[in-house]
Amino acid sequence: MTVTSLHDPSHREALWELENAFERGNLVSLFGRCTVSYEGRAASDLAAGDRLLLLKPDGAALVHTDEGRQPVNWQPPGSEHRAAVREGRLRVVSTRTTPDETLTVRFSDVHQLSAMPVTGGRDLDLHGSEEDLRTRILERPDLIEAGFEPRETERPSSAGPMDVFGVDADGNPVVVELKRRRVGPDAVGQLARYVRALREEVGVDGNSLDADADGDADGDGDAAEPEVRGVLVAPSVTDRAAERLADRGFDHVALEPTPEE
Amino acid sequence: MTVTSLHDPSHREALWELENAFERGNLVSLFGRCTVSYEGRAASDLAAGDRLLLLKPDGAALVHTDEGRQPVNWQPPGSEHRAAVREGRLRVVSTRTTPDETLTVRFSDVHQLSAMPVTGGRDLDLHGSEEDLRTRILERPDLIEAGFEPRETERPSSAGPMDVFGVDADGNPVVVELKRRRVGPDAVGQLARYVRALREEVGVDGNSLDADADGDADGDGDAAEPEVRGVLVAPSVTDRAAERLADRGFDHVALEPTPEE
DNA sequence: AACTCAATGTCGCGC
DNA sequence: GCGCGACGTTGAGTT
């Protein structure tokens, strides 16, 4: 395992090492003065300046300046990198299809080049996601409200799968939408679509909600029409989201994806 | 302007150069075997492996593997980097507040370190955005439909600012929602909110739409109640989005942010 | 600081 | 391949 590192190489030396690195499937870091142009979903141009170009063996390309979390220009994984020397200058081109996109980096000076073998070590263990929130609710349904019974997760509907579907203490169907963080009005709209879809189902087919029913009061009897409720679970909601929740008669349950420390 | 580059430095050498680089406001690239842990909005852990750590003078930190456009772990700009040697090993910690977040990178081996002075050259000229689409429509309103007249951009409403507000050939108010690329159902929901808000305005206040009116048929006379229309401008729409457009009686105008080549 | 919306968003999953 | 929704989304602009 060897890291190759060149300090102020000539453009031809840089090209040589670049091609070797591509061949070996190395991660390449290239620092120098360059212009960058992009053509694809949009188009952009970047005047000459010092930047760091990262070329990954999976086809990703990243152009970073001294500021920002985001690369100033990039190419997603699956692209193909090529390098050449034109008029004595190193040029790196990364292209992909669907959609057609091209990133071109033209160097006037190459200050530093490193080629590094990298393998494995990408198995990230992330916790505190929406998945954790769902787990938490299935384990403790009373966090939603007393008497709440989850029946199904990812229950299909004409508006797409709902996060959690269940029944409240009075037997009303409940659609639960989970968000791991503070939400805006869009989440209320999403919940509304599920609720509407479910109300249509109920309207069309009577209360056919007990798919795996134990058959109680199943006939079109004197039971009141079940009221489909909507519950938004999120740590908090914006003011406008709260308005829309109130408009539609939905409830908000304040809950974090992981218990408070 | 000098790039400092160390090959297989000792942990103490690396620390020394890191501190110098922080002092000088350099961009730092650090490659080696390390573990990474993050605590903040969520939490994550990454087992030992070879990775590239990028430390920017603006406080951003990026941990990259050999795959993906996204860093496997990161810290946003504005964070503070600190480095130390503990038990003979280099450790880099990046922290920020609001929210409290900490990224810790513990190295077992440092294979390569570079410190690079980077300034300026971040002025990107990007075209093909939603802004361009708006400009295009204001210059050629007939692209929406014959007789369409834009009246206002970013017109405020109770549902937020609408992209373009105008009037059609029959004098009906038109809400135009712009999307620079193919859209799904969410965009229809957004348009619907604006249209609903505007219909409420009209309902409450009569047709007070001619703010800078030329006064034709202005009285509460026999003119038909103006019909608020919704138009979605996007290169294309998904099937589900098309359904929802049809449901609500909205129109779709197929248009690219920049003219076809 | 909070809220809202665009993005060359990226990414993963399901059909 | 497309459609759909989450993301430690990020980032910019406005209030």
Side-chain angles (χ1 to χ4, degrees):
Chain A
M1 124 81 108
T2 329
V3 177
T4 302
S5 197
L6 299 182
H7 200 85
D8 279 327
S10 75
H11 290 244
R12 297 220 164 263
E13 285 174 327
L15 174 62
W16 175 254
E17 277 306 326
L18 256 184
E19 287 178 339
N20 281 348
F22 291 164
E23 181 72 24
R24 292 188 302 250
N26 281 359
L27 172 65
V28 175
S29 150
L30 197 47
F31 177 67
R33 185 174 174 81
C34 57
T35 62
V36 186
S37 72
Y38 157 75
E39 268 272 342
R41 287 166 290 177
S44 75
D45 284 288
L46 201 47
D50 288 321
R51 283 146 208 140
L52 183 72
L53 170 63
L54 222 58
L55 297 168
K56 295 194 177 190
D58 73 346
L62 310 170
V63 180
H64 272 282
T65 69
D66 60 335
E67 286 189 344
R69 201 207 80 123
Q70 302 293 357
V72 62
N73 274 121
W74 70 90
Q75 200 68 286
S79 311
E80 191 182 348
H81 306 322
R82 275 164 301 152
V85 171
R86 292 280 175 274
E87 301 173 5
R89 304 289 172 77
L90 179 66
R91 172 180 306 184
V92 179
V93 181
S94 178
T95 55
R96 73 153 174 166
T97 55
T98 18
D100 279 330
E101 290 186 301
T102 305
L103 180 72
T104 307
V105 183
R106 296 178 177 84
F107 285 90
S108 59
D109 302 275
V110 180
H111 298 313
Q112 217 273 336
L113 182 156
S114 296
M116 300 157 280
V118 186
T119 49
R122 343 180 185 99
D123 42 314
L124 183 72
D125 170 30
L126 178 67
H127 30 284
S129 57
E130 187 175 302
E131 173 74 27
D132 295 74
L133 186 52
R134 175 165 51 246
T135 305
R136 198 172 168 212
I137 281 167
L138 295 181
E139 285 173 356
R140 293 203 41 204
D142 62 296
L143 289 173
I144 300 289
E145 62 181 30
F148 175 71
E149 267 185 46
R151 287 281 168 87
E152 220 175 325
T153 65
E154 304 298 327
R155 180 189 186 284
S157 82
S158 64
M162 40 193 81
D163 287 339
V164 176
F165 167 72
V167 177
D168 73 9
D170 299 327
N172 297 308
V174 181
V175 177
V176 181
E177 174 67 22
L178 304 178
K179 294 293 171 187
R180 62 171 307 283
R181 59 167 190 158
R182 182 175 176 82
V183 297
D186 51 332
V188 185
Q190 198 178 338
L191 175 58
R193 292 203 295 278
Y194 296 140
V195 169
R196 187 159 63 115
L198 194 59
R199 281 180 181 153
E200 277 167 19
E201 277 188 45
V202 172
V204 167
D205 199 26
N207 61 352
S208 65
L209 294 163
D210 306 272
D212 52 348
D214 35 16
D216 59 331
D218 185 274
D220 47 317
D222 52 339
E225 189 69 17
E227 173 74 11
V228 178
R229 297 176 50 202
V231 175
L232 180 61
V233 177
S236 63
V237 302
T238 65
D239 287 349
R240 189 171 295 280
E243 281 173 34
R244 295 190 69 197
L245 280 171
D247 284 352
R248 299 172 186 264
F250 297 155
D251 296 311
H252 168 226
V253 173
L255 204 56
E256 306 275 342
T258 48
E260 293 298 308
E261 30 182 324
Chain B
M1 123 82 107
T2 328
V3 177
T4 302
S5 196
L6 299 181
H7 200 86
D8 279 324
S10 75
H11 290 245
R12 297 220 165 264
E13 285 174 325
L15 174 62
W16 176 254
E17 277 305 326
L18 256 184
E19 288 179 338
N20 282 348
F22 290 165
E23 181 72 24
R24 292 189 301 251
N26 282 358
L27 172 64
V28 175
S29 151
L30 198 47
F31 177 68
R33 185 173 174 81
C34 57
T35 62
V36 186
S37 71
Y38 157 76
E39 268 272 342
R41 285 167 291 176
S44 74
D45 284 288
L46 203 46
D50 288 321
R51 284 148 208 137
L52 182 72
L53 170 63
L54 222 57
L55 298 168
K56 295 195 177 189
D58 72 345
L62 309 171
V63 180
H64 273 281
T65 68
D66 60 335
E67 285 189 345
R69 203 211 76 127
Q70 301 293 3
V72 62
N73 273 122
W74 69 92
Q75 201 67 288
S79 310
E80 191 181 349
H81 307 320
R82 276 164 300 153
V85 171
R86 291 279 176 275
E87 301 173 5
R89 305 289 172 80
L90 179 66
R91 173 180 304 185
V92 179
V93 181
S94 177
T95 54
R96 73 153 175 166
T97 55
T98 14
D100 278 331
E101 291 186 300
T102 304
L103 180 72
T104 307
V105 183
R106 296 179 176 85
F107 284 89
S108 59
D109 302 276
V110 180
H111 299 312
Q112 216 274 336
L113 181 157
S114 297
M116 302 157 279
V118 187
T119 49
R122 349 182 180 94
D123 44 315
L124 184 71
D125 170 30
L126 177 68
H127 31 284
S129 59
E130 188 175 299
E131 173 75 27
D132 296 74
L133 185 54
R134 176 166 50 247
T135 305
R136 198 173 168 212
I137 281 166
L138 295 181
E139 284 173 357
R140 295 203 40 203
D142 61 297
L143 289 172
I144 300 288
E145 63 182 28
F148 174 71
E149 267 184 47
R151 287 280 168 87
E152 220 175 325
T153 65
E154 304 298 328
R155 181 189 186 284
S157 81
S158 64
M162 41 191 81
D163 288 338
V164 176
F165 167 72
V167 176
D168 73 8
D170 299 328
N172 297 308
V174 181
V175 178
V176 181
E177 174 66 23
L178 305 178
K179 292 294 171 188
R180 63 171 308 282
R181 58 166 190 161
R182 182 176 177 83
V183 297
D186 52 334
V188 184
Q190 199 177 338
L191 176 57
R193 292 202 297 278
Y194 296 140
V195 169
R196 187 159 64 115
L198 194 57
R199 282 180 180 153
E200 278 167 18
E201 277 188 45
V202 173
V204 167
D205 199 26
N207 61 349
S208 65
L209 296 163
D210 304 272
D212 52 351
D214 35 15
D216 59 331
D218 186 272
D220 49 314
D222 52 338
E225 190 69 19
E227 172 75 11
V228 178
R229 297 175 49 201
V231 175
L232 180 61
V233 176
S236 62
V237 303
T238 66
D239 286 350
R240 189 174 292 280
E243 280 173 33
R244 295 188 69 196
L245 281 171
D247 285 352
R248 301 172 185 264
F250 296 156
D251 296 311
H252 167 227
V253 173
L255 204 56
E256 307 273 344
T258 48
E260 293 298 307
E261 31 179 325

